[in-house]
PDB file of all heavy atoms in Angstrom:
ATOM      1  N   SER A   2      -7.728  -2.502 -11.111  1.00  0.00           N
ATOM      2  CA  SER A   2      -7.278  -3.690 -11.838  1.00  0.00           C
ATOM      3  C   SER A   2      -8.427  -4.587 -12.263  1.00  0.00           C
ATOM      4  O   SER A   2      -8.328  -5.308 -13.264  1.00  0.00           O
ATOM      5  CB  SER A   2      -6.306  -4.499 -10.973  1.00  0.00           C
ATOM      6  OG  SER A   2      -5.215  -3.717 -10.551  1.00  0.00           O
ATOM      7  N   ASN A   3      -9.519  -4.579 -11.494  1.00  0.00           N
ATOM      8  CA  ASN A   3     -10.605  -5.533 -11.738  1.00  0.00           C
ATOM      9  C   ASN A   3     -11.958  -4.865 -11.962  1.00  0.00           C
ATOM     10  O   ASN A   3     -12.989  -5.403 -11.563  1.00  0.00           O
ATOM     11  CB  ASN A   3     -10.683  -6.509 -10.561  1.00  0.00           C
ATOM     12  CG  ASN A   3      -9.427  -7.342 -10.430  1.00  0.00           C
ATOM     13  OD1 ASN A   3      -9.069  -8.089 -11.332  1.00  0.00           O
ATOM     14  ND2 ASN A   3      -8.734  -7.204  -9.308  1.00  0.00           N
ATOM     15  N   THR A   4     -11.930  -3.750 -12.642  1.00  0.00           N
ATOM     16  CA  THR A   4     -13.204  -3.093 -12.943  1.00  0.00           C
ATOM     17  C   THR A   4     -14.073  -3.964 -13.851  1.00  0.00           C
ATOM     18  O   THR A   4     -15.301  -3.855 -13.827  1.00  0.00           O
ATOM     19  CB  THR A   4     -12.982  -1.721 -13.597  1.00  0.00           C
ATOM     20  OG1 THR A   4     -12.180  -1.885 -14.783  1.00  0.00           O
ATOM     21  CG2 THR A   4     -12.281  -0.763 -12.644  1.00  0.00           C
ATOM     22  N   GLY A   5     -13.450  -4.844 -14.620  1.00  0.00           N
ATOM     23  CA  GLY A   5     -14.209  -5.770 -15.453  1.00  0.00           C
ATOM     24  C   GLY A   5     -15.029  -6.754 -14.647  1.00  0.00           C
ATOM     25  O   GLY A   5     -15.973  -7.361 -15.150  1.00  0.00           O
ATOM     26  N   GLU A   6     -14.671  -6.902 -13.366  1.00  0.00           N
ATOM     27  CA  GLU A   6     -15.425  -7.758 -12.449  1.00  0.00           C
ATOM     28  C   GLU A   6     -16.537  -6.985 -11.739  1.00  0.00           C
ATOM     29  O   GLU A   6     -17.290  -7.556 -10.944  1.00  0.00           O
ATOM     30  CB  GLU A   6     -14.489  -8.356 -11.407  1.00  0.00           C
ATOM     31  CG  GLU A   6     -13.456  -9.297 -11.970  1.00  0.00           C
ATOM     32  CD  GLU A   6     -14.093 -10.548 -12.558  1.00  0.00           C
ATOM     33  OE1 GLU A   6     -14.719 -11.312 -11.809  1.00  0.00           O
ATOM     34  OE2 GLU A   6     -13.963 -10.747 -13.784  1.00  0.00           O
ATOM     35  N   GLY A   7     -16.612  -5.672 -12.005  1.00  0.00           N
ATOM     36  CA  GLY A   7     -17.715  -4.897 -11.446  1.00  0.00           C
ATOM     37  C   GLY A   7     -17.420  -4.192 -10.142  1.00  0.00           C
ATOM     38  O   GLY A   7     -18.353  -3.791  -9.440  1.00  0.00           O
ATOM     39  N   TYR A   8     -16.132  -4.024  -9.805  1.00  0.00           N
ATOM     40  CA  TYR A   8     -15.812  -3.318  -8.573  1.00  0.00           C
ATOM     41  C   TYR A   8     -14.493  -2.559  -8.707  1.00  0.00           C
ATOM     42  O   TYR A   8     -13.689  -2.803  -9.602  1.00  0.00           O
ATOM     43  CB  TYR A   8     -15.721  -4.290  -7.393  1.00  0.00           C
ATOM     44  CG  TYR A   8     -14.562  -5.258  -7.445  1.00  0.00           C
ATOM     45  CD1 TYR A   8     -13.301  -4.917  -6.943  1.00  0.00           C
ATOM     46  CD2 TYR A   8     -14.712  -6.529  -7.991  1.00  0.00           C
ATOM     47  CE1 TYR A   8     -12.236  -5.806  -6.995  1.00  0.00           C
ATOM     48  CE2 TYR A   8     -13.655  -7.433  -8.041  1.00  0.00           C
ATOM     49  CZ  TYR A   8     -12.409  -7.061  -7.536  1.00  0.00           C
ATOM     50  OH  TYR A   8     -11.361  -7.942  -7.598  1.00  0.00           O
ATOM     51  N   VAL A   9     -14.292  -1.622  -7.787  1.00  0.00           N
ATOM     52  CA  VAL A   9     -13.041  -0.882  -7.678  1.00  0.00           C
ATOM     53  C   VAL A   9     -12.658  -0.868  -6.201  1.00  0.00           C
ATOM     54  O   VAL A   9     -13.527  -0.976  -5.324  1.00  0.00           O
ATOM     55  CB  VAL A   9     -13.187   0.552  -8.229  1.00  0.00           C
ATOM     56  CG1 VAL A   9     -14.179   1.360  -7.382  1.00  0.00           C
ATOM     57  CG2 VAL A   9     -11.852   1.262  -8.330  1.00  0.00           C
ATOM     58  N   MET A  10     -11.348  -0.781  -5.909  1.00  0.00           N
ATOM     59  CA  MET A  10     -10.894  -0.785  -4.526  1.00  0.00           C
ATOM     60  C   MET A  10     -10.154   0.514  -4.218  1.00  0.00           C
ATOM     61  O   MET A  10      -9.387   1.018  -5.048  1.00  0.00           O
ATOM     62  CB  MET A  10     -10.010  -1.999  -4.247  1.00  0.00           C
ATOM     63  CG  MET A  10     -10.718  -3.315  -4.545  1.00  0.00           C
ATOM     64  SD  MET A  10      -9.821  -4.790  -3.996  1.00  0.00           S
ATOM     65  CE  MET A  10     -10.177  -4.750  -2.237  1.00  0.00           C
ATOM     66  N   VAL A  11     -10.410   1.057  -3.018  1.00  0.00           N
ATOM     67  CA  VAL A  11      -9.845   2.352  -2.632  1.00  0.00           C
ATOM     68  C   VAL A  11      -9.286   2.257  -1.218  1.00  0.00           C
ATOM     69  O   VAL A  11      -9.901   1.655  -0.336  1.00  0.00           O
ATOM     70  CB  VAL A  11     -10.902   3.474  -2.706  1.00  0.00           C
ATOM     71  CG1 VAL A  11     -10.288   4.814  -2.316  1.00  0.00           C
ATOM     72  CG2 VAL A  11     -11.511   3.553  -4.110  1.00  0.00           C
ATOM     73  N   LYS A  12      -8.109   2.885  -1.009  1.00  0.00           N
ATOM     74  CA  LYS A  12      -7.483   2.925   0.314  1.00  0.00           C
ATOM     75  C   LYS A  12      -7.034   4.345   0.620  1.00  0.00           C
ATOM     76  O   LYS A  12      -6.405   5.005  -0.209  1.00  0.00           O
ATOM     77  CB  LYS A  12      -6.285   1.970   0.359  1.00  0.00           C
ATOM     78  CG  LYS A  12      -5.493   2.021   1.655  1.00  0.00           C
ATOM     79  CD  LYS A  12      -4.450   0.920   1.724  1.00  0.00           C
ATOM     80  CE  LYS A  12      -3.379   1.076   0.673  1.00  0.00           C
ATOM     81  NZ  LYS A  12      -2.283   0.077   0.827  1.00  0.00           N
ATOM     82  N   TYR A  13      -7.333   4.796   1.829  1.00  0.00           N
ATOM     83  CA  TYR A  13      -6.874   6.110   2.302  1.00  0.00           C
ATOM     84  C   TYR A  13      -5.797   5.884   3.349  1.00  0.00           C
ATOM     85  O   TYR A  13      -5.987   5.116   4.298  1.00  0.00           O
ATOM     86  CB  TYR A  13      -8.032   6.894   2.899  1.00  0.00           C
ATOM     87  CG  TYR A  13      -7.622   8.223   3.503  1.00  0.00           C
ATOM     88  CD1 TYR A  13      -7.263   9.288   2.685  1.00  0.00           C
ATOM     89  CD2 TYR A  13      -7.571   8.389   4.889  1.00  0.00           C
ATOM     90  CE1 TYR A  13      -6.864  10.501   3.238  1.00  0.00           C
ATOM     91  CE2 TYR A  13      -7.186   9.596   5.443  1.00  0.00           C
ATOM     92  CZ  TYR A  13      -6.824  10.653   4.621  1.00  0.00           C
ATOM     93  OH  TYR A  13      -6.433  11.852   5.163  1.00  0.00           O
ATOM     94  N   THR A  14      -4.635   6.536   3.209  1.00  0.00           N
ATOM     95  CA  THR A  14      -3.515   6.318   4.121  1.00  0.00           C
ATOM     96  C   THR A  14      -3.159   7.554   4.933  1.00  0.00           C
ATOM     97  O   THR A  14      -2.151   7.561   5.645  1.00  0.00           O
ATOM     98  CB  THR A  14      -2.272   5.850   3.342  1.00  0.00           C
ATOM     99  OG1 THR A  14      -1.954   6.822   2.326  1.00  0.00           O
ATOM    100  CG2 THR A  14      -2.525   4.498   2.696  1.00  0.00           C
ATOM    101  N   GLY A  15      -3.975   8.592   4.846  1.00  0.00           N
ATOM    102  CA  GLY A  15      -3.724   9.799   5.627  1.00  0.00           C
ATOM    103  C   GLY A  15      -4.277   9.681   7.035  1.00  0.00           C
ATOM    104  O   GLY A  15      -4.705   8.615   7.481  1.00  0.00           O
ATOM    105  N   ASN A  16      -4.309  10.811   7.744  1.00  0.00           N
ATOM    106  CA  ASN A  16      -4.736  10.827   9.143  1.00  0.00           C
ATOM    107  C   ASN A  16      -5.998  11.653   9.372  1.00  0.00           C
ATOM    108  O   ASN A  16      -6.399  11.831  10.520  1.00  0.00           O
ATOM    109  CB  ASN A  16      -3.604  11.366  10.019  1.00  0.00           C
ATOM    110  CG  ASN A  16      -2.377  10.474   9.995  1.00  0.00           C
ATOM    111  OD1 ASN A  16      -2.487   9.252  10.114  1.00  0.00           O
ATOM    112  ND2 ASN A  16      -1.204  11.076   9.814  1.00  0.00           N
ATOM    113  N   ASN A  17      -6.606  12.146   8.306  1.00  0.00           N
ATOM    114  CA  ASN A  17      -7.840  12.911   8.468  1.00  0.00           C
ATOM    115  C   ASN A  17      -8.950  11.976   8.950  1.00  0.00           C
ATOM    116  O   ASN A  17      -9.174  10.919   8.358  1.00  0.00           O
ATOM    117  CB  ASN A  17      -8.233  13.552   7.139  1.00  0.00           C
ATOM    118  CG  ASN A  17      -9.320  14.596   7.294  1.00  0.00           C
ATOM    119  OD1 ASN A  17     -10.396  14.314   7.793  1.00  0.00           O
ATOM    120  ND2 ASN A  17      -9.032  15.814   6.847  1.00  0.00           N
ATOM    121  N   PRO A  18      -9.659  12.311  10.026  1.00  0.00           N
ATOM    122  CA  PRO A  18     -10.659  11.391  10.587  1.00  0.00           C
ATOM    123  C   PRO A  18     -11.971  11.306   9.808  1.00  0.00           C
ATOM    124  O   PRO A  18     -12.769  10.414  10.052  1.00  0.00           O
ATOM    125  CB  PRO A  18     -10.911  11.957  11.988  1.00  0.00           C
ATOM    126  CG  PRO A  18     -10.606  13.418  11.846  1.00  0.00           C
ATOM    127  CD  PRO A  18      -9.484  13.516  10.863  1.00  0.00           C
ATOM    128  N   LYS A  19     -12.185  12.236   8.873  1.00  0.00           N
ATOM    129  CA  LYS A  19     -13.428  12.230   8.102  1.00  0.00           C
ATOM    130  C   LYS A  19     -13.101  12.327   6.617  1.00  0.00           C
ATOM    131  O   LYS A  19     -12.781  13.397   6.108  1.00  0.00           O
ATOM    132  CB  LYS A  19     -14.340  13.387   8.513  1.00  0.00           C
ATOM    133  CG  LYS A  19     -14.837  13.306   9.945  1.00  0.00           C
ATOM    134  CD  LYS A  19     -15.761  14.477  10.250  1.00  0.00           C
ATOM    135  CE  LYS A  19     -16.271  14.414  11.680  1.00  0.00           C
ATOM    136  NZ  LYS A  19     -17.166  15.564  11.994  1.00  0.00           N
ATOM    137  N   VAL A  20     -13.183  11.182   5.931  1.00  0.00           N
ATOM    138  CA  VAL A  20     -12.834  11.120   4.517  1.00  0.00           C
ATOM    139  C   VAL A  20     -13.956  10.435   3.758  1.00  0.00           C
ATOM    140  O   VAL A  20     -14.445   9.382   4.172  1.00  0.00           O
ATOM    141  CB  VAL A  20     -11.520  10.350   4.301  1.00  0.00           C
ATOM    142  CG1 VAL A  20     -11.128  10.349   2.832  1.00  0.00           C
ATOM    143  CG2 VAL A  20     -10.406  10.963   5.146  1.00  0.00           C
ATOM    144  N   LYS A  21     -14.355  11.040   2.658  1.00  0.00           N
ATOM    145  CA  LYS A  21     -15.447  10.509   1.856  1.00  0.00           C
ATOM    146  C   LYS A  21     -14.965  10.117   0.464  1.00  0.00           C
ATOM    147  O   LYS A  21     -14.071  10.743  -0.101  1.00  0.00           O
ATOM    148  CB  LYS A  21     -16.564  11.551   1.700  1.00  0.00           C
ATOM    149  CG  LYS A  21     -17.241  11.952   2.992  1.00  0.00           C
ATOM    150  CD  LYS A  21     -18.291  13.019   2.735  1.00  0.00           C
ATOM    151  CE  LYS A  21     -18.964  13.460   4.020  1.00  0.00           C
ATOM    152  NZ  LYS A  21     -19.983  14.517   3.774  1.00  0.00           N
ATOM    153  N   LEU A  22     -15.594   9.074  -0.064  1.00  0.00           N
ATOM    154  CA  LEU A  22     -15.404   8.685  -1.461  1.00  0.00           C
ATOM    155  C   LEU A  22     -16.718   8.918  -2.193  1.00  0.00           C
ATOM    156  O   LEU A  22     -17.766   8.448  -1.751  1.00  0.00           O
ATOM    157  CB  LEU A  22     -15.022   7.211  -1.567  1.00  0.00           C
ATOM    158  CG  LEU A  22     -15.101   6.597  -2.975  1.00  0.00           C
ATOM    159  CD1 LEU A  22     -14.049   7.208  -3.898  1.00  0.00           C
ATOM    160  CD2 LEU A  22     -14.963   5.082  -2.915  1.00  0.00           C
ATOM    161  N   GLN A  23     -16.648   9.625  -3.297  1.00  0.00           N
ATOM    162  CA  GLN A  23     -17.828   9.790  -4.148  1.00  0.00           C
ATOM    163  C   GLN A  23     -17.555   9.114  -5.490  1.00  0.00           C
ATOM    164  O   GLN A  23     -16.502   9.304  -6.099  1.00  0.00           O
ATOM    165  CB  GLN A  23     -18.140  11.265  -4.387  1.00  0.00           C
ATOM    166  CG  GLN A  23     -19.391  11.475  -5.243  1.00  0.00           C
ATOM    167  CD  GLN A  23     -19.602  12.947  -5.585  1.00  0.00           C
ATOM    168  OE1 GLN A  23     -19.100  13.432  -6.595  1.00  0.00           O
ATOM    169  NE2 GLN A  23     -20.313  13.649  -4.726  1.00  0.00           N
ATOM    170  N   ILE A  24     -18.498   8.286  -5.920  1.00  0.00           N
ATOM    171  CA  ILE A  24     -18.409   7.627  -7.227  1.00  0.00           C
ATOM    172  C   ILE A  24     -19.563   8.122  -8.083  1.00  0.00           C
ATOM    173  O   ILE A  24     -20.740   7.892  -7.763  1.00  0.00           O
ATOM    174  CB  ILE A  24     -18.465   6.100  -7.101  1.00  0.00           C
ATOM    175  CG1 ILE A  24     -17.298   5.585  -6.246  1.00  0.00           C
ATOM    176  CG2 ILE A  24     -18.445   5.450  -8.485  1.00  0.00           C
ATOM    177  CD1 ILE A  24     -17.284   4.083  -6.050  1.00  0.00           C
ATOM    178  N   GLN A  25     -19.213   8.839  -9.152  1.00  0.00           N
ATOM    179  CA  GLN A  25     -20.237   9.281 -10.106  1.00  0.00           C
ATOM    180  C   GLN A  25     -20.308   8.258 -11.219  1.00  0.00           C
ATOM    181  O   GLN A  25     -19.310   7.931 -11.852  1.00  0.00           O
ATOM    182  CB  GLN A  25     -19.918  10.663 -10.669  1.00  0.00           C
ATOM    183  CG  GLN A  25     -20.974  11.146 -11.664  1.00  0.00           C
ATOM    184  CD  GLN A  25     -20.811  12.602 -12.032  1.00  0.00           C
ATOM    185  OE1 GLN A  25     -20.668  13.449 -11.179  1.00  0.00           O
ATOM    186  NE2 GLN A  25     -20.800  12.881 -13.338  1.00  0.00           N
ATOM    187  N   THR A  26     -21.503   7.719 -11.470  1.00  0.00           N
ATOM    188  CA  THR A  26     -21.698   6.651 -12.438  1.00  0.00           C
ATOM    189  C   THR A  26     -21.920   7.212 -13.840  1.00  0.00           C
ATOM    190  O   THR A  26     -22.157   8.416 -14.003  1.00  0.00           O
ATOM    191  CB  THR A  26     -22.893   5.786 -12.028  1.00  0.00           C
ATOM    192  OG1 THR A  26     -24.083   6.595 -12.067  1.00  0.00           O
ATOM    193  CG2 THR A  26     -22.708   5.229 -10.621  1.00  0.00           C
ATOM    194  N   PRO A  27     -21.859   6.363 -14.867  1.00  0.00           N
ATOM    195  CA  PRO A  27     -22.075   6.847 -16.240  1.00  0.00           C
ATOM    196  C   PRO A  27     -23.432   7.509 -16.449  1.00  0.00           C
ATOM    197  O   PRO A  27     -23.578   8.353 -17.341  1.00  0.00           O
ATOM    198  CB  PRO A  27     -21.955   5.562 -17.077  1.00  0.00           C
ATOM    199  CG  PRO A  27     -21.076   4.673 -16.275  1.00  0.00           C
ATOM    200  CD  PRO A  27     -21.437   4.943 -14.853  1.00  0.00           C
ATOM    201  N   ASP A  28     -24.434   7.143 -15.638  1.00  0.00           N
ATOM    202  CA  ASP A  28     -25.750   7.762 -15.785  1.00  0.00           C
ATOM    203  C   ASP A  28     -25.900   9.019 -14.942  1.00  0.00           C
ATOM    204  O   ASP A  28     -26.988   9.584 -14.837  1.00  0.00           O
ATOM    205  CB  ASP A  28     -26.867   6.767 -15.450  1.00  0.00           C
ATOM    206  CG  ASP A  28     -26.715   6.158 -14.066  1.00  0.00           C
ATOM    207  OD1 ASP A  28     -25.855   6.632 -13.291  1.00  0.00           O
ATOM    208  OD2 ASP A  28     -27.451   5.201 -13.754  1.00  0.00           O
ATOM    209  N   GLY A  29     -24.799   9.479 -14.327  1.00  0.00           N
ATOM    210  CA  GLY A  29     -24.813  10.740 -13.594  1.00  0.00           C
ATOM    211  C   GLY A  29     -25.181  10.637 -12.126  1.00  0.00           C
ATOM    212  O   GLY A  29     -25.166  11.648 -11.418  1.00  0.00           O
ATOM    213  N   ASN A  30     -25.489   9.440 -11.654  1.00  0.00           N
ATOM    214  CA  ASN A  30     -25.821   9.281 -10.240  1.00  0.00           C
ATOM    215  C   ASN A  30     -24.548   9.374  -9.402  1.00  0.00           C
ATOM    216  O   ASN A  30     -23.462   8.993  -9.850  1.00  0.00           O
ATOM    217  CB  ASN A  30     -26.504   7.935 -10.014  1.00  0.00           C
ATOM    218  CG  ASN A  30     -27.469   7.967  -8.849  1.00  0.00           C
ATOM    219  OD1 ASN A  30     -27.608   8.977  -8.163  1.00  0.00           O
ATOM    220  ND2 ASN A  30     -28.139   6.856  -8.616  1.00  0.00           N
ATOM    221  N   LYS A  31     -24.663   9.866  -8.170  1.00  0.00           N
ATOM    222  CA  LYS A  31     -23.502  10.033  -7.294  1.00  0.00           C
ATOM    223  C   LYS A  31     -23.687   9.227  -6.015  1.00  0.00           C
ATOM    224  O   LYS A  31     -24.630   9.449  -5.268  1.00  0.00           O
ATOM    225  CB  LYS A  31     -23.283  11.511  -6.966  1.00  0.00           C
ATOM    226  CG  LYS A  31     -22.933  12.357  -8.188  1.00  0.00           C
ATOM    227  CD  LYS A  31     -22.778  13.821  -7.822  1.00  0.00           C
ATOM    228  CE  LYS A  31     -22.439  14.663  -9.052  1.00  0.00           C
ATOM    229  NZ  LYS A  31     -22.312  16.101  -8.717  1.00  0.00           N
ATOM    230  N   TYR A  32     -22.771   8.295  -5.777  1.00  0.00           N
ATOM    231  CA  TYR A  32     -22.764   7.464  -4.585  1.00  0.00           C
ATOM    232  C   TYR A  32     -21.681   7.987  -3.643  1.00  0.00           C
ATOM    233  O   TYR A  32     -20.536   8.186  -4.066  1.00  0.00           O
ATOM    234  CB  TYR A  32     -22.440   6.017  -4.928  1.00  0.00           C
ATOM    235  CG  TYR A  32     -23.507   5.279  -5.709  1.00  0.00           C
ATOM    236  CD1 TYR A  32     -23.807   5.599  -7.035  1.00  0.00           C
ATOM    237  CD2 TYR A  32     -24.207   4.230  -5.122  1.00  0.00           C
ATOM    238  CE1 TYR A  32     -24.780   4.909  -7.746  1.00  0.00           C
ATOM    239  CE2 TYR A  32     -25.175   3.531  -5.823  1.00  0.00           C
ATOM    240  CZ  TYR A  32     -25.458   3.879  -7.128  1.00  0.00           C
ATOM    241  OH  TYR A  32     -26.421   3.196  -7.833  1.00  0.00           O
ATOM    242  N   THR A  33     -22.013   8.170  -2.381  1.00  0.00           N
ATOM    243  CA  THR A  33     -21.045   8.685  -1.421  1.00  0.00           C
ATOM    244  C   THR A  33     -20.858   7.715  -0.259  1.00  0.00           C
ATOM    245  O   THR A  33     -21.827   7.226   0.316  1.00  0.00           O
ATOM    246  CB  THR A  33     -21.473  10.061  -0.881  1.00  0.00           C
ATOM    247  OG1 THR A  33     -21.676  10.953  -1.983  1.00  0.00           O
ATOM    248  CG2 THR A  33     -20.410  10.633   0.045  1.00  0.00           C
ATOM    249  N   TYR A  34     -19.600   7.417   0.063  1.00  0.00           N
ATOM    250  CA  TYR A  34     -19.235   6.487   1.129  1.00  0.00           C
ATOM    251  C   TYR A  34     -18.257   7.164   2.083  1.00  0.00           C
ATOM    252  O   TYR A  34     -17.549   8.102   1.699  1.00  0.00           O
ATOM    253  CB  TYR A  34     -18.550   5.243   0.566  1.00  0.00           C
ATOM    254  CG  TYR A  34     -19.294   4.501  -0.514  1.00  0.00           C
ATOM    255  CD1 TYR A  34     -19.160   4.854  -1.858  1.00  0.00           C
ATOM    256  CD2 TYR A  34     -20.114   3.414  -0.205  1.00  0.00           C
ATOM    257  CE1 TYR A  34     -19.828   4.152  -2.860  1.00  0.00           C
ATOM    258  CE2 TYR A  34     -20.776   2.702  -1.191  1.00  0.00           C
ATOM    259  CZ  TYR A  34     -20.628   3.084  -2.519  1.00  0.00           C
ATOM    260  OH  TYR A  34     -21.291   2.388  -3.508  1.00  0.00           O
ATOM    261  N   LEU A  35     -18.153   6.650   3.313  1.00  0.00           N
ATOM    262  CA  LEU A  35     -17.080   7.029   4.224  1.00  0.00           C
ATOM    263  C   LEU A  35     -15.958   6.015   4.069  1.00  0.00           C
ATOM    264  O   LEU A  35     -16.198   4.805   4.015  1.00  0.00           O
ATOM    265  CB  LEU A  35     -17.567   7.040   5.671  1.00  0.00           C
ATOM    266  CG  LEU A  35     -18.636   8.078   6.029  1.00  0.00           C
ATOM    267  CD1 LEU A  35     -18.907   8.040   7.533  1.00  0.00           C
ATOM    268  CD2 LEU A  35     -18.220   9.482   5.601  1.00  0.00           C
ATOM    269  N   LEU A  36     -14.716   6.493   3.996  1.00  0.00           N
ATOM    270  CA  LEU A  36     -13.573   5.593   3.884  1.00  0.00           C
ATOM    271  C   LEU A  36     -13.049   5.208   5.260  1.00  0.00           C
ATOM    272  O   LEU A  36     -13.081   5.994   6.207  1.00  0.00           O
ATOM    273  CB  LEU A  36     -12.459   6.242   3.064  1.00  0.00           C
ATOM    274  CG  LEU A  36     -12.704   6.339   1.554  1.00  0.00           C
ATOM    275  CD1 LEU A  36     -11.533   7.024   0.872  1.00  0.00           C
ATOM    276  CD2 LEU A  36     -12.927   4.961   0.935  1.00  0.00           C
TER     277      LEU A  36
END
């Protein structure tokens, strides 16, 4: 909803203990986070 503000929000509702979020940017860089 607020990508124009420079951020995105993500929620994981499953039960897997190891979940990653990867964000690939327009310049091809890949950022990886733990959720």
Side-chain angles (χ1 to χ4, degrees):
S2 304
N3 297 299
T4 57
E6 295 295 297
Y8 67 87
V9 65
M10 303 189 78
V11 181
K12 175 172 65 174
Y13 176 73
T14 57
N16 296 314
N17 193 302
K19 296 181 180 179
V20 183
K21 297 178 181 179
L22 167 67
Q23 182 186 89
I24 300 179
Q25 180 169 311
T26 64
D28 55 10
N30 209 357
K31 296 178 180 179
Y32 291 69
T33 305
Y34 306 87
L35 295 185
L36 287 179

